[in-house]
Amino acid sequence: MNLIPLGASELRVTPICLGTMTFGEQVGEADSHAILDRALERGINFIDTAEMYAVPARAETCGATETIVGNWLASRPGAREKIVLATKVAGPSRGMPWIRGEQSGLTRAEILAACDASLRRLQTEVIDLYQIHWPARSVPAFGKIYYDPAEEKPCASIHEQLEALDQLVRAGKVRAIGLSNETPYGVHEFVRLAEAHGLPRVATVQNPYCLINRTVENGLDETMHRLGVSLLAYSPLGFGLLSGKYDASGFESPTAPEGRMSRYESMRKQRWGRADSLVAARRYNALAREHGLTPTQLALAFCYTKWQVASTIIGVTSLAQLDECLDAWGTTLAPELLQAIDQIRWEYRDPAA
């Protein structure tokens, strides 16, 4: 794999990134370390985590994933120099008061303290890519599709957040900054203020992008292309729906396979658990089989080959899943298959938005 530049930063990453939010919940520490080892052996140099992980979020496991990654780095001399390490500071609570309380507004002080805590858990002196996990503003995200100004709450301004991130960069604790679950307005405003005040320019946006959620293509892709910001695509398999594993059983049948959607009721209540999401996923999965591909190959190749995507974040719970995701690299999709994908989207739009 050729290394991909992230925005205007100096970071160069593989077009596949290992996401880690299963570490500490679905995956124990020893197995997590084995997955990290295998990813490194197979040439992956990009690891993404977050202070709020593991997922589903619980007070007992908050920070567990960073701790697992940090223990891996500490026990693998030389590994830190081989990877680009990304993590995220959580936005306002979203039902997780154990992070910074219900009234968090993602202030300068909160960002600075969160970064220091992540550095301690990760056992490193610098975070290569430090991202705001979701905006402090009220935005249509995580299944909400409409912006409602009545839902705005007091929070730190984008300018204040950029100044905090600038302080971290100047202190040598962060190399580049990014956003996540952002809107076109948010990306424009972060870039505008950075250019106006000599503050760090965002290199990346990490947003959902997969066959059942292509909302990035509803204007955010143009914003990012014109401003030189790179997309990190998360949930390319739609929380497992696009692997085909739930096609026959659904999520709650006694015969449903082990997975995030069958195991956790909290996951089924989110956008990936909508009936329309599974219906659409079954259509894409059937299309893959009709063309001699596995559903996983189709879903990942869709992300791996799209011009919008700089790096695709894969999340796995086993070495076998990791190998399957990495082996899908190089799969090409014929023009007629891409047309068929677009036809299904025209019928179902983005049910997991």
Side-chain angles (χ1 to χ4, degrees), residues 4-6 13-16 230-233 306-312:
I4 307 297
L6 294 183
V13 302
T14 45
I16 301 176
S230 297
L231 174 65
L232 308 179
K306 292 289 280 188
W307 68 262
Q308 289 93 337
V309 179
S311 191
T312 300

Side-chain angles (χ1 to χ4, degrees), residues 191-220:
V191 170
R192 183 186 72 82
L193 288 169
E195 292 179 345
H197 299 280
L199 297 169
R201 204 176 191 280
V202 294
T204 60
V205 175
Q206 183 179 149
N207 270 29
Y209 186 64
C210 64
L211 291 170
I212 55 175
N213 184 347
R214 293 170 61 180
T215 51
V216 162
E217 294 174 293
N218 295 344
L220 182 59

Side-chain angles (χ1 to χ4, degrees), residues 96-168:
M96 293 174 284
W98 53 82
I99 297 182
R100 275 178 290 278
E102 292 286 3
Q103 303 306 315
S104 165
L106 204 59
T107 64
R108 180 200 306 264
E110 289 172 336
I111 291 173
L112 298 179
C115 183
D116 284 341
S118 287
L119 287 167
R120 287 193 296 271
R121 286 189 292 268
L122 290 167
Q123 301 186 55
T124 187
E125 295 181 352
V126 61
I127 294 163
D128 296 311
L129 179 65
Y130 197 47
Q131 306 152 96
I132 293 177
H133 207 153
W134 57 87
R137 317 177 320 276
S138 174
V139 297
F142 301 111
K144 176 183 172 184
I145 61 174
Y146 298 114
Y147 169 66
D148 183 355
E151 295 182 358
E152 290 284 3
K153 296 179 181 179
C155 66
S157 67
I158 290 175
H159 193 182
E160 178 181 340
Q161 292 162 7
L162 272 173
E163 288 182 326
L165 294 168
D166 178 59
Q167 186 171 335
L168 292 171

Side-chain angles (χ1 to χ4, degrees), residues 113-353:
C115 183
D116 284 341
S118 287
L119 287 167
R120 287 193 296 271
R121 286 189 292 268
L122 290 167
Q123 301 186 55
T124 187
E125 295 181 352
V126 61
I127 294 163
D128 296 311
L129 179 65
Y130 197 47
Q131 306 152 96
I132 293 177
H133 207 153
W134 57 87
R137 317 177 320 276
S138 174
V139 297
F142 301 111
K144 176 183 172 184
I145 61 174
Y146 298 114
Y147 169 66
D148 183 355
E151 295 182 358
E152 290 284 3
K153 296 179 181 179
C155 66
S157 67
I158 290 175
H159 193 182
E160 178 181 340
Q161 292 162 7
L162 272 173
E163 288 182 326
L165 294 168
D166 178 59
Q167 186 171 335
L168 292 171
V169 171
R170 290 178 182 274
K173 296 178 180 181
V174 167
R175 292 179 62 197
I177 66 168
L179 306 172
S180 187
N181 300 293
E182 254 302 354
T183 66
Y185 166 80
V187 179
H188 271 281
E189 192 66 359
F190 268 93
V191 170
R192 183 186 72 82
L193 288 169
E195 292 179 345
H197 299 280
L199 297 169
R201 204 176 191 280
V202 294
T204 60
V205 175
Q206 183 179 149
N207 270 29
Y209 186 64
C210 64
L211 291 170
I212 55 175
N213 184 347
R214 293 170 61 180
T215 51
V216 162
E217 294 174 293
N218 295 344
L220 182 59
D221 55 352
E222 180 189 6
T223 290
M224 296 178 67
H225 174 69
R226 295 191 184 279
L227 296 179
V229 178
S230 297
L231 174 65
L232 308 179
Y234 78 74
S235 294
L237 292 176
F239 269 47
L241 275 68
L242 293 165
S243 71
K245 67 193 298 181
Y246 301 113
D247 282 4
S249 65
F251 306 135
E252 300 184 74
S253 165
T255 62
E258 168 65 18
R260 201 174 299 154
M261 299 302 295
S262 58
R263 183 172 180 177
Y264 301 108
E265 182 182 6
S266 61
M267 298 290 99
R268 296 194 294 274
K269 290 181 177 180
Q270 297 181 26
R271 51 192 158 165
W272 313 103
R274 293 172 182 156
D276 287 349
S277 295
L278 184 57
V279 170
R282 284 170 169 154
R283 284 286 302 278
Y284 289 115
N285 297 339
L287 179 67
R289 297 181 184 105
E290 290 167 9
H291 286 260
L293 300 172
T294 67
T296 295
Q297 286 174 320
L298 176 67
L300 291 178
F302 176 78
C303 288
Y304 291 168
T305 58
K306 292 289 280 188
W307 68 262
Q308 289 93 337
V309 179
S311 191
T312 300
I313 302 172
I314 57 170
V316 303
T317 58
S318 68
L319 292 175
Q321 286 184 356
L322 175 63
D323 285 335
E324 181 181 16
C325 292
L326 298 182
D327 290 345
W329 178 258
T331 302
T332 57
L333 305 180
E336 59 269 21
L337 178 51
L338 292 171
Q339 291 174 2
I341 287 172
D342 283 345
Q343 181 57 44
I344 294 175
R345 190 198 185 203
W346 185 254
E347 295 176 38
Y348 289 94
R349 301 305 166 101
D350 299 303

